[in-house]
Amino acid sequence: MTVVGPFGLSVRDQALEADVQTGLAAVEAGLLDATKSDVPFITEAAQHLVRAGGKRFRPLLVMLASQFGDPYAPGVVPAAVVVELTHLATLYHDDVMDEGKVRRGVDSANARWGNSVAVLTGDFLFARASHILADLGPEAVRIQAEAFERLVTGQILETAGPRDGRDPVEHYLDVLGGKTGSLVAVSCRFGAMTSGADESVVDILTQYGERLGVAFQLADDVLDIASDSHESGKMPGTDLREGIPTLPVLLLRAQAEAYGRPGDLALVELLDGDLADDARLSEALRLLRAHPALEQARRDTVRYAQEARATLTPLAEGYAKSALIELCDAVVHRAG
């Protein structure tokens, strides 16, 4: 049994382990190749987050999904490079929108070179992803375009906020389906599709990815509050400090509005204040860690992970299916 990929995923079959390891190594080489430019500064900026590392969660899913067809098919690795380049591009843009200063343990691109360079570098990565995608055929282009539309729509909905009368928690879960679930779903879909898996298998893995993607982001929401060392390279409370809505905070606000408990109202007031002060942020984290809203957010994370796991039931038993199931457990463990 060997540990590979994010979360310490354990692979119990040597052939599967070799396929995954070889595939991820090829993806890494492909990312470096795709981010090279004739202009050295563009190469430096484009490879900034590639070289910073990361979980490579989406390429791992491409590799595992490809096991349901021919994992050596020529489109598998390029598809994995496409989804990771797209993800990386969104990180450059997200850090500009959120004024993030640190990403994956290094200075964010906007902190290092300014917003304009960060935005344009993200655009450069989108362009390179599209160039690779074109070789995968018109169906792949259409699927990626639809996913990217959902991703951007989710980002816009998050920025705009819920419309009048809409439950903020329901709105947020819709946002996550677009912002995160869409690209994770495409990772599974591309892996299965480019490997030549049956259409029914492609559909199952796409549904799995959609639910797993939401669970993955909800686990990040919990970690931002509960963890002493954030796995994404950000410090705990980063989302709180930047005023980014997360599920535990939205659940807290809903309880404060519904029941009007003085402690809840005081915590909401603290969160709405200036959290640039380290002492205020530490106090907010302390109170949120003890609040029932955090445990409810954990339960919601578990629910989405369990739904992801349940979608895999029709698939034939095997090491690849077991690895996908283990990823559900690993996402839950992150939020534990």
Side-chain angles (χ1 to χ4, degrees), residues 159-243:
T159 303
R163 65 178 183 272
D164 289 346
R166 179 82 196 278
D167 179 5
V169 173
E170 289 183 5
H171 171 84
Y172 181 64
L173 292 173
D174 283 348
V175 165
L176 295 192
K179 275 188 61 178
T180 306
S182 61
L183 194 57
V184 176
V186 163
S187 301
C188 294
R189 186 171 184 177
F190 275 171
M193 188 179 82
T194 57
S195 72
D198 290 343
E199 189 60 38
S200 61
V201 173
V202 175
D203 289 343
I204 288 169
L205 291 172
T206 302
Q207 294 171 38
Y208 164 85
E210 180 86 21
R211 289 161 177 79
L212 186 69
V214 175
F216 181 82
Q217 184 56 56
L218 292 179
D220 264 4
D221 285 2
V222 172
L223 280 170
D224 186 63
I225 294 167
S227 176
D228 290 330
S229 177
H230 201 296
E231 291 187 15
S232 71
K234 298 188 297 184
M235 292 298 294
T238 296
D239 290 341
L240 289 183
R241 177 167 273 169
E242 294 172 0

Side-chain angles (χ1 to χ4, degrees), residues 74-75 78-79 82 128-141 194:
V82 165
R128 286 298 174 88
S130 298
H131 183 79
I132 298 169
L133 189 66
D135 292 333
L136 296 178
E139 177 69 2
V141 172
T194 57

Side-chain angles (χ1 to χ4, degrees), residues 2 11 13 27 35-36 63-64 84 98 125 140 158 180-181 183 194 196 209 231 241 253 265 293 304 306 321:
T2 304
V11 175
D13 177 69
V27 169
T35 49
K36 288 179 182 174
M63 295 304 133
L64 291 175
E84 187 67 7
D98 301 336
L125 295 180
E158 180 180 59
T180 306
L183 194 57
T194 57
E231 291 187 15
R241 177 167 273 169
R253 292 184 185 279
L265 295 172
Y304 273 93
Q306 288 175 337
K321 179 179 177 179

